Amino acid sequence: MRPVPTRSRRNAQTLIETVAGIIFMIPIVLFLFDCGILLLANTANDDLAKQAARAAASAIPNPALTAVEMADPNIRNPKFKAAGKKAAELVVSNYATGKTEGYITEVQLSVLWYNGPPSMALGVAPPSDPAGDPGVGNVAVITSLLARAPVPFPGFDCTRRFFARAVEPIVSLPPE
């Protein structure tokens, strides 16, 4: 009578269990990778909104205003508002350059409030903004970012649009 080869059976059983476990682990790891990429895209959008708001808050008109123009708020405020809008758009466009091939496919400046109402809708509008107008002396920027997951999970939409809002006090506008 021959002895039963227990060692080779044990090794085969371990190999089968490992392969079966890997079959379930691969989709879980890929799904977590997608979640990580989307989390990084949301963080990048938050940072972009903060940088755009800072740029708009510290923007000054070019060419510089004369003393007469600086004294009249009806002349001064629209020029500072236009400079702030241009500065925020420049920050967003510099970030968006070269972002069409990666996981971040679309970057936009959605809404800009400068020194109270009215708001300037520029791109894709956010679904709702409960905070609204940031008030006099502040600038608020809402940016929009479209990100797609690198490994689409079957049965789910692989693209997500993120919105971020940042408010900064205006430091370039002289007090009235």
Side-chain angles (χ1 to χ4, degrees):
M1 191 154 220
R2 277 195 210 164
V4 178
T6 57
R7 182 174 177 196
S8 64
R9 283 187 181 176
R10 200 175 311 138
N11 287 342
Q13 182 180 355
T14 304
L15 182 64
I16 291 172
E17 289 174 356
T18 303
V19 169
I22 287 175
I23 289 173
F24 292 105
M25 288 298 292
I26 288 175
I28 293 170
V29 168
L30 292 176
F31 179 74
L32 291 175
F33 181 69
D34 284 348
C35 290
I37 292 293
L38 294 177
L39 180 67
L40 290 174
N42 189 26
T43 304
N45 192 29
D46 289 339
D47 184 52
L48 177 64
K50 184 76 167 172
Q51 295 300 324
R54 284 182 181 169
S58 62
I60 56 173
N62 190 14
L65 301 178
T66 64
V68 174
E69 291 174 328
M70 288 296 282
D72 186 5
N74 294 327
I75 297 173
R76 176 186 66 202
N77 291 348
K79 291 191 177 192
F80 273 89
K81 189 175 193 174
K85 178 179 179 251
K86 185 177 178 182
E89 287 175 338
L90 184 65
V91 168
V92 172
S93 68
N94 284 344
Y95 183 82
T97 303
K99 296 291 183 198
T100 57
E101 295 297 322
Y103 304 124
I104 298 173
T105 56
E106 183 182 308
V107 180
Q108 290 182 348
L109 179 64
S110 294
V111 181
L112 173 73
W113 284 272
Y114 192 92
N115 203 18
S119 65
M120 290 186 256
L122 304 168
V124 177
S128 67
D129 185 29
D133 180 17
V136 176
N138 292 319
V139 61
V141 171
I142 297 179
T143 57
S144 168
L145 183 139
L146 185 68
R148 67 175 176 82
V151 185
F153 203 69
F156 293 99
D157 184 19
C158 64
T159 59
R160 292 285 178 256
R161 181 170 299 278
F162 296 104
F163 293 96
R165 182 176 194 264
V167 178
E168 290 288 324
I170 299 173
V171 294
S172 63
L173 191 62
E176 293 183 14

